[in-house]
Amino acid sequence: MSSFPSNPTICFAHVAYRCADRFVARGAPYPHFEVRSLDELQARIPEADVLVVSGFWRNTLPALTKRLKFVQSLSAGTDQYDRPTFKEHGIALASAAGGNAAAVSEHAVSLMLGITRKLFIARDDQHKKFWSGMKGDFTQREDELNGKTAVVIGMGAIGKRVIRVLKALDMTVIGVRANPASGAEGADEVHATSALPQILPRADFVVLVCPLTAETTGLINGAALAAMKPTAYLINCARGKVADEEALIEALRNRTIRGAGLDVMATEPLPPESPLWTLPNAFLTPHTAGETCAYEDNVLDLMMENIQRLQAGRSDLVNRVV
């Protein structure tokens, strides 16, 4: 990579995030502009030294500019970025891993609590002005997390925090990571991903907070769902393709598992024809786990640190991908 500019121009590209507003509130030490559409990004990318982006990214963008030096992803996941393209064009890439650790971990636990306490059903009943009353049927009654077992797949910044929160709720927590020797992070046990067939039958909740990689794509497939208890729930705050969506729909329809709390789907936005919209044991949120009032500032912290490192000629970027 050629020398990094001392006064880089930054392009913030997102349909909704208010990065430019927050940048101005923090003093805006560098020139910047903001785009709200892919067409606008494609037209103006030749003006930018730094691009802050997630969903608008296309691997054809580097061919439109000779100026771009650094992409700070707005997302922790980076499966949309083609690594060889970045290397070919000499562009550095860093993820926002850790920037949404608090938000996503809290969202995952919220889905667990919402399902267990049947809050989504209560909200539906509220809109129908229906007072459900006490329930004699155990299958219809609210439950508690205390004493249950959660298998947490993925033990990065998000997974670590999920584990801490679940332990505070007096759950037994089994962590799953590619390299168990990296540490238990407070879990009662830690195992390699290869041990899932033996671990899944013990779970009341399977919580997905891992990155999408070649190894994790389709990790929760039909066999994995069949290995789970019929009373167990799947929580997915990772990426939709970590679970085989067709197999999950069948498992929910057939009550192979009791239910699922999903913040991510294989195709987003979720197509209107998807059965997930209407399955009574699916609880959906629209990929909003990382979306909080603090998120823009969290990413700007990472971006500023990485710009300063690049200006100093350093290659050890925070969350460097390429």
Side-chain angles (χ1 to χ4, degrees):
M1 181 187 296
S2 58
S3 61
F4 197 84
S6 60
N7 193 37
T9 296
I10 301 168
C11 172
F12 299 109
H14 196 275
V15 68
Y17 286 161
R18 309 281 299 263
C19 291
D21 288 351
R22 293 307 308 153
F23 197 51
V24 170
R26 295 159 63 118
Y30 303 122
H32 66 280
F33 61 94
E34 191 164 56
V35 299
R36 295 292 188 193
S37 71
L38 176 59
D39 286 345
E40 193 177 4
L41 173 58
Q42 290 172 326
R44 299 198 63 184
I45 194 170
E47 304 170 40
D49 301 294
V50 174
L51 174 61
V52 182
V53 68
S54 56
F56 285 155
W57 177 260
R58 300 295 184 273
N59 290 307
T60 52
L61 288 171
L64 302 178
T65 177
K66 295 182 179 180
R67 182 169 172 175
L68 187 64
K69 299 288 193 298
F70 171 51
V71 172
Q72 173 64 64
S73 179
L74 277 159
S75 59
T78 58
D79 49 285
Q80 70 267 44
Y81 303 102
D82 181 63
R83 277 58 163 174
T85 297
F86 277 80
K87 292 175 182 176
E88 177 188 347
H89 291 272
I91 300 169
L93 169 66
S95 81
N100 61 2
V104 178
S105 59
E106 290 170 15
H107 198 90
V109 176
S110 295
L111 288 173
M112 295 172 68
L113 287 166
I115 284 175
T116 306
R117 303 304 307 168
K118 300 189 181 295
L119 298 181
F120 61 105
I121 295 175
R123 179 68 180 210
D124 291 347
D125 287 348
Q126 175 188 336
H127 288 164
K128 293 183 286 189
K129 300 181 181 180
F130 174 69
W131 189 274
S132 64
M134 302 295 290
K135 303 175 184 67
D137 184 347
F138 283 143
T139 65
Q140 302 303 309
R141 195 182 295 180
E142 295 83 352
D143 207 346
E144 28 189 287
L145 295 182
N146 169 49
K148 299 291 193 300
T149 295
V151 170
V152 178
I153 301 176
M155 296 173 67
I158 296 168
K160 292 175 189 177
R161 198 163 186 270
V162 169
I163 290 167
R164 290 202 303 272
V165 175
L166 297 185
K167 287 305 300 176
L169 293 170
D170 296 321
M171 296 186 73
T172 297
V173 182
I174 302 170
V176 176
R177 67 193 317 173
N179 180 16
S182 298
E185 312 296 351
D188 297 283
E189 304 172 25
V190 60
H191 296 274
T193 311
S194 59
L196 273 178
Q198 292 74 48
I199 296 168
L200 288 174
R202 300 168 58 189
D204 298 298
F205 291 88
V206 175
V207 184
L208 303 178
V209 284
C210 55
L212 179 65
T213 65
E215 291 71 30
T216 62
T217 298
L219 183 66
I220 302 302
N221 54 22
L225 291 161
M228 291 168 60
K229 298 177 185 178
T231 55
Y233 296 93
L234 178 71
I235 306 295
N236 192 356
C237 285
R239 285 289 187 269
K241 292 181 180 178
V242 174
D244 180 331
E245 198 163 277
E246 290 187 8
L248 175 58
I249 289 168
E250 282 304 301
L252 292 171
R253 279 175 170 159
N254 298 332
R255 304 282 173 162
T256 304
I257 62 173
R258 180 167 285 177
L262 308 173
D263 184 58
V264 289
M265 293 79 190
T267 301
E268 297 179 359
L270 185 65
E273 63 273 15
S274 172
L276 288 173
W277 286 111
T278 53
L279 283 170
N281 51 350
F283 183 22
L284 312 183
T285 54
H287 203 153
T288 52
E291 191 173 287
T292 74
C293 296
Y295 192 65
E296 285 90 337
D297 282 298
N298 293 341
V299 175
L300 288 174
D301 287 343
L302 292 168
M303 179 200 77
M304 288 300 297
E305 175 63 27
N306 282 330
I307 287 175
Q308 289 164 12
R309 294 189 184 195
L310 287 166
Q311 289 172 331
R314 294 171 58 178
S315 61
D316 58 332
L317 302 186
V318 180
N319 300 330
R320 181 157 198 159
V321 179
V322 178

